[in-house]
Amino acid sequence: MADGGQLRNIYEDNEHYNKAFLLYDKLGDRIGTMDRWCKAGFATDIMPKLKVKISEEQPLRTLGVGSGSGELESHILKQLLQKFPRIDNHVVEPSAELSGKYKEYVSANTADLKGIDYHWEQLLLEEYQQKREKDGDTSKFHFISAVHSLYYFNDLGKWLDYLYGLLDEGGLLVVMLTSDNSSMARTWKAFPGLGHSDKFPFSGATSAHISSHFDKRGIPYQDINLDVPYDMTKVFATEPSEEGDLLVDFVTHIINFRQNASAELNAKMMAFLRSDFKQDGDRFFYNGDWGVTVVPK
């Protein structure tokens, strides 16, 4: 059994990560949460702050960072389409599997996404930066979104500055991360260093880190909190299950945590999660709240 310093980060196995993430995503109804927020709050929280000046013939230039399978980002794009009938959307997503799912989503929803031209970049953000520099690309974007994708950076502030620098005047940067008050954030604080590796330096970043960075830069922003409960009952099921194990893997960001962590670390983790999760009868719910940081330029 390994201790915390020898365990493998879940991001080192793309297939395992995607399997755990998609289960977690399903149990939290993240797509439903995004849909409800976009329909109820996007017009008041986002659109008034987007003050780009483009002609009717020009497309709105958008950039998605770590866009994943595209469902969450597409809810944002649908809202933007209501004001900007033409969108030039650049997708930066390193996972071939998730990029493929995004393309399938676009093909299956052509009517809702009519007017959007897609440019696919199967790259890490650092690789995308290098590609732009090599190509001499100095183009700017009117709207940039990073939806739950800025967790793995040695220097998060550097990349926030980079994204802000890619904005055109009047543009908007929207960053979503787990809230500092979420169960995920509390787990990271209780077990610091868990999930970190040299290749994937897990920062444990939350929305509070984003706010703190822009505070230091003197750049105005708005914080929005979205309530996202997750039914994590399978974590505490009497009989072990693959789904329960995958959920623990996602929460800890460790591959096969229950099988590979020491008995002591396992016991500490389960005790912590049981104390942190909210129990309702025989169900256990996890505070998966999101923090949305809206940064105009």
Side-chain angles (χ1 to χ4, degrees), residues 221-242:
Y221 63 88
Q222 177 188 3
D223 278 334
I224 302 165
N225 192 79
L226 303 181
D227 296 331
V228 191
Y230 288 73
D231 185 345
M232 303 286 273
T233 306
K234 291 181 184 296
V235 169
F236 301 111
T238 304
E239 293 295 326
S241 68
E242 181 185 14

Side-chain angles (χ1 to χ4, degrees), residues 2-19:
D3 62 26
Q6 299 169 313
L7 298 169
R8 290 180 63 212
N9 184 294
I10 195 172
Y11 220 61
E12 295 178 29
D13 185 330
N14 205 40
E15 182 178 352
H16 191 86
Y17 173 85
N18 289 338
K19 195 173 184 180

Side-chain angles (χ1 to χ4, degrees), residues 3 10 24 37 49 59 63-64 68 70 83 118 132 135 151 182 192 194 208 216 225 240 243 252 265 269 295:
D3 62 26
I10 195 172
Y24 177 80
W37 174 63
K49 298 177 178 63
L63 173 67
K83 183 175 181 180
Y118 288 87
R132 282 177 57 95
D135 296 343
Y151 295 109
S182 69
L194 194 65
K216 292 175 183 176
N225 192 79
E243 287 191 341
T252 62
L265 183 56
M269 180 61 70
V295 190

